[in-house]
Amino acid sequence: MAVTLADVAARAGVSSATVSRVLNGNYPVAGSTRERVQRAVEELDYVVNGQARALAAATSDLVGVLVNDVADPFFGLIASALQSEIGVGGGQPDAGKLAVVCNTGGSPEAELTYLTLLERQRAAGVVLTGGAVEDDAHTAAVATRLARLARSGTRIVLCGRPPLPAGSGPEAATIAFDNRGGARRLTEHLISLGHRRIGYVTGPQGRSTTRHRLEGHRAALAARGLGPQTRAGAHAEQLIVHGGYDRGAGYDATLELLRRDDGITAIAAANDTVALGVCAALRDSGLRIPEDVSVAGFDDLPFGVDASPALTTVRIPLQDAGARAGRLVLGRVAPPPGGVATVATELMVRGSTAPPGGSR
Amino acid sequence: MAVTLADVAARAGVSSATVSRVLNGNYPVAGSTRERVQRAVEELDYVVNGQARALAAATSDLVGVLVNDVADPFFGLIASALQSEIGVGGGQPDAGKLAVVCNTGGSPEAELTYLTLLERQRAAGVVLTGGAVEDDAHTAAVATRLARLARSGTRIVLCGRPPLPAGSGPEAATIAFDNRGGARRLTEHLISLGHRRIGYVTGPQGRSTTRHRLEGHRAALAARGLGPQTRAGAHAEQLIVHGGYDRGAGYDATLELLRRDDGITAIAAANDTVALGVCAALRDSGLRIPEDVSVAGFDDLPFGVDASPALTTVRIPLQDAGARAGRLVLGRVAPPPGGVATVATELMVRGSTAPPGGSR
DNA sequence: CTGTTAGCGCGTTCAG
DNA sequence: CTGAACGCGCTAACAG
């Protein structure tokens, strides 16, 4: 049915090896022969069979990208930049690799399953994005699988997650986000504005990102003499509510926070999406932002500037990180020294935070 | 290096054919043999070589998804739902296909190039999402490529784009969005509120989505006696500014609109992202929404409800559409009668539209 | 520069 | 129920 190399060879009156050489262009072929072959290719509408090529050459055009959910702009931005980096640039089909996007939904099982699927495909590379599930058994299982992949030549890159435990085997280039530092500066900002009763809505439990951001928050409190041993610090611990990464979590958590302390003057959220839920709950409770309560998010997703007031947040250069992950997974750039590069995060102060108004 | 079927066979003391049968489970194999094989598989950590399997069985585990940009929530939502539908469900690796996401950036060349790449991979299916570029040569080129793909067994699905020209060959199931109807109802809503000087910011030119939405807008005007032959209608035509699908386009277009008519009382935008740019420009111009100017978007992306005021828009069930496209491309559901299903769009009235205040 | 010859790893006849 | 043999379509030595 489909036209094969042999068909082209027959038509051009050469051997299939010659056709292969013309196609791949890494071997000297006489100009006239090449032309005949190319004409035959065009006339027959020949398209190489990638699977056969991959099998014979032991190569692959696939790069796996594991994300929680591409519909979440955090992952969408990373995946998009990554895909654009590894994919087709100027229309030359041969330069590009294909990005296989896998929604894990944050499920450890799905993560492992997709790694298996990608191993089956002998993917050229795999990029794991976003926070890691912090469970020893799972971490070990992932490390094992990654080690096997790496051993068979698949490049591994972690983007937005902490490096694998040292000595766990696979060489994985890591692009880590400075979540802890960003969260710390954010809470320091709130404290500097004069806030003392600060609520915090965390992300889902058992995730590295959640933990790091929370640690940053606590570090800021401690540095300002608001550690848990102090009275105010003890109170601050009461104002930490565990949530998730969705808007609803922010909404619910905010109602809970107001129940615990209706004199709260600021709320920091696990990310921007949660922060919008926080804002909605505050408004529905008749509170003004930032006059009554300041709100801050994390990630600096595009919609943050269009919220009103515009959201104070911590910027992560997600697209840069995604593009860099793409270059790393293709081996186009050398891994950072030590294997891990930490990308800086930047505090973005906007209208949603202000000194406590005390107008209540 | 990597362990192969033959290795497993040797270890289990059977032929490789038997191992293959156990793995695929479509053939009778004695219980005891099966167990021995399965043990060998586990002991050796065997993982099938997808490329070899694909080559031998002439099958593929890949489904291509062409999008303008996954980072755009419009496409992200479709791609996410689609991926989740075709991917791994309950951890059974064998059920799942892999989604190859291709960012075309709206470029016709990239679209064709990715189709070639997917043809190389002998993808099981290809889903083209979002508006089509309306250029005869390009449409024909795409149709030709799709026809070839279809002929070689690749399932074709169009999601959010109009069906291929009749008789152009390939059987492609189409999920079309009722952009025209949605836009029409939206503008009717504005007219009903009392608006007469309505600005419209279009999407990029030469795209089916842009054209359909604009047609809906004009149809609404005409139905209310505001057709281009009338004086008000002629004015309305002056208030159509061509833009793009990004926020900046909305911003710039709005400034232009205000220049053309500073008595404008409503602006409809090509999509929600553009609408936010419109809002920003209005605010920066000292105008209130909706008191001075009403604003409406299109698509009902998640961030719309968190804008303030919340954005009046037209809802497209993107996730449903994406999931359905996934089922279609797997052949799990029959194509709609006639090959094309049009999904309804729904007007979502929120705070950003109101009767003209006349407070200026 | 070009043709010939082997596989790549697996699915699938066809015998037994 | 199982094994032997062939071929999927292509690349990579190895000659010439």
Side-chain angles (χ1 to χ4, degrees):
Chain A
M1 180 83 195
V3 20
T4 75
L5 241 206
D7 298 333
V8 177
R11 171 126 189 163
V14 297
S15 78
S16 60
T18 300
V19 179
S20 171
R21 294 198 262 256
V22 170
L23 259 43
N24 295 309
N26 352 323
Y27 242 74
V29 173
S32 63
T33 321
R34 153 168 305 138
E35 281 191 22
R36 254 185 313 140
V37 169
Q38 280 168 340
R39 197 170 324 125
V41 166
E42 306 231 334
E43 288 168 351
L44 296 174
D45 270 337
Y46 171 71
V47 176
V48 275
N49 183 323
Q51 340 210 263
R53 165 182 286 183
L55 181 57
T59 61
S60 168
D61 289 338
L62 302 181
V63 171
V65 184
L66 270 65
V67 298
N68 264 15
D69 184 2
V70 259
D72 181 336
F74 177 89
F75 294 101
L77 286 165
I78 294 176
S80 172
L82 174 38
Q83 200 283 332
S84 297
E85 187 73 27
I86 70 172
V88 171
Q92 285 302 334
D94 286 297
K97 296 224 179 286
L98 295 170
V100 175
V101 172
C102 309
N103 276 3
T104 65
S107 149
E109 298 78 40
E111 188 164 288
L112 292 175
T113 304
Y114 277 119
L115 286 178
T116 300
L117 251 35
L118 291 167
E119 186 176 354
R120 283 192 186 177
Q121 297 300 323
R122 304 297 189 259
V126 171
V127 181
L128 308 190
T129 68
V133 171
E134 299 200 306
D135 170 79
D136 286 345
H138 181 247
T139 303
V142 168
T144 303
R145 272 215 174 41
L146 292 183
R148 265 220 320 263
L149 278 163
R151 221 177 304 125
S152 64
T154 299
R155 277 213 186 69
I156 312 291
V157 175
L158 309 185
C159 180
R161 78 167 52 186
L164 295 174
S168 69
E171 290 188 36
T174 301
I175 300 174
F177 299 158
D178 182 22
N179 286 307
R180 203 183 274 111
R184 175 172 173 154
R185 282 188 300 280
L186 179 59
T187 295
E188 279 171 354
H189 159 69
L190 293 173
I191 298 174
S192 298
L193 287 175
H195 295 281
R196 289 299 176 271
R197 295 158 83 168
I198 304 173
Y200 189 86
V201 183
T202 76
Q205 306 213 38
R207 295 291 213 309
S208 59
T209 304
T210 297
R211 182 167 60 77
H212 290 155
R213 293 183 183 176
L214 182 52
E215 285 174 5
H217 172 66
R218 286 185 168 132
L221 293 172
R224 297 298 189 109
L226 298 171
Q229 71 285 0
T230 68
R231 186 151 152 227
H235 184 64
E237 284 296 312
Q238 303 300 315
L239 296 184
I240 294 172
V241 176
H242 289 277
Y245 278 141
D246 58 308
R247 189 174 182 277
Y251 194 97
D252 296 344
T254 298
L255 299 184
E256 171 63 23
L257 280 171
L258 292 175
R259 224 171 284 133
R260 293 190 189 171
D261 178 357
D262 66 354
I264 206 164
T265 65
I267 299 179
N271 71 16
D272 290 347
T273 306
V274 173
L276 291 189
V278 170
C279 291
L282 288 173
R283 266 194 292 269
D284 288 356
S285 302
L287 296 171
R288 292 165 303 161
I289 306 164
E291 292 81 357
D292 299 324
V293 181
S294 286
V295 177
F298 210 110
D299 293 342
D300 194 26
L301 298 185
F303 55 72
V305 295
D306 285 306
S308 85
L311 199 60
T312 290
T313 188
V314 175
R315 173 167 183 68
I316 304 178
L318 296 172
Q319 333 207 34
D320 291 349
R324 187 165 177 190
R327 272 172 264 132
L328 280 168
V329 83
L330 291 188
R332 291 221 314 246
V333 297
V340 25
T342 299
V343 316
T345 51
E346 181 189 359
L347 178 64
M348 307 295 285
V349 177
R350 302 209 182 95
S352 70
T353 51
S359 61
R360 275 186 290 167
Chain B
M1 179 84 195
V3 21
T4 74
L5 243 205
D7 298 334
V8 176
R11 172 127 188 161
V14 297
S15 77
S16 60
T18 301
V19 179
S20 171
R21 296 197 259 256
V22 171
L23 260 42
N24 295 308
N26 352 322
Y27 241 75
V29 174
S32 62
T33 321
R34 152 167 306 137
E35 280 191 23
R36 254 186 312 140
V37 170
Q38 280 168 341
R39 195 169 327 124
V41 167
E42 306 231 335
E43 290 169 351
L44 295 175
D45 270 338
Y46 172 71
V47 176
V48 275
N49 183 324
Q51 340 209 265
R53 164 181 286 184
L55 182 57
T59 62
S60 168
D61 288 339
L62 303 181
V63 171
V65 185
L66 269 63
V67 299
N68 263 15
D69 184 3
V70 258
D72 181 336
F74 177 88
F75 295 100
L77 286 166
I78 294 175
S80 172
L82 173 38
Q83 199 284 331
S84 298
E85 188 74 26
I86 68 171
V88 172
Q92 284 302 333
D94 286 298
K97 296 224 178 287
L98 295 170
V100 175
V101 172
C102 309
N103 276 4
T104 64
S107 149
E109 298 77 41
E111 189 165 287
L112 292 175
T113 305
Y114 276 119
L115 286 178
T116 300
L117 251 34
L118 292 168
E119 187 176 355
R120 283 192 187 177
Q121 299 298 323
R122 304 298 189 258
V126 171
V127 181
L128 308 191
T129 68
V133 171
E134 299 200 305
D135 169 81
D136 286 345
H138 181 247
T139 303
V142 168
T144 304
R145 272 216 174 38
L146 292 183
R148 264 217 325 258
L149 279 163
R151 220 176 304 125
S152 66
T154 300
R155 277 213 186 70
I156 311 291
V157 176
L158 309 185
C159 180
R161 82 166 50 186
L164 296 174
S168 70
E171 291 188 34
T174 301
I175 301 174
F177 298 157
D178 182 22
N179 286 308
R180 204 183 274 112
R184 175 172 174 155
R185 283 189 299 280
L186 179 59
T187 295
E188 278 170 355
H189 159 69
L190 293 174
I191 297 173
S192 297
L193 286 174
H195 294 280
R196 289 298 176 273
R197 295 159 82 169
I198 304 173
Y200 188 87
V201 183
T202 76
Q205 306 211 38
R207 295 292 213 308
S208 60
T209 304
T210 297
R211 182 168 59 79
H212 290 155
R213 292 182 183 176
L214 182 53
E215 285 173 4
H217 171 67
R218 286 184 168 134
L221 292 173
R224 296 299 189 108
L226 298 170
Q229 70 285 4
T230 69
R231 181 145 157 234
H235 184 65
E237 284 296 312
Q238 302 301 317
L239 296 184
I240 293 172
V241 176
H242 290 275
Y245 279 142
D246 58 309
R247 189 176 183 275
Y251 194 96
D252 296 342
T254 299
L255 298 184
E256 171 64 21
L257 280 171
L258 292 175
R259 225 170 285 131
R260 294 191 189 171
D261 179 357
D262 67 352
I264 207 165
T265 64
I267 299 178
N271 71 15
D272 290 347
T273 306
V274 173
L276 292 189
V278 170
C279 290
L282 289 173
R283 266 194 293 270
D284 289 356
S285 302
L287 297 171
R288 292 164 303 160
I289 307 164
E291 293 83 356
D292 298 323
V293 180
S294 286
V295 176
F298 210 110
D299 292 343
D300 194 25
L301 298 184
F303 54 73
V305 295
D306 285 307
S308 85
L311 199 60
T312 290
T313 187
V314 175
R315 175 167 181 69
I316 304 179
L318 297 172
Q319 333 207 34
D320 291 350
R324 187 164 176 192
R327 271 173 264 132
L328 279 169
V329 83
L330 291 188
R332 292 220 315 246
V333 297
V340 24
T342 299
V343 315
T345 51
E346 181 188 1
L347 179 64
M348 307 294 285
V349 177
R350 302 211 182 93
S352 70
T353 50
S359 61
R360 276 185 289 164

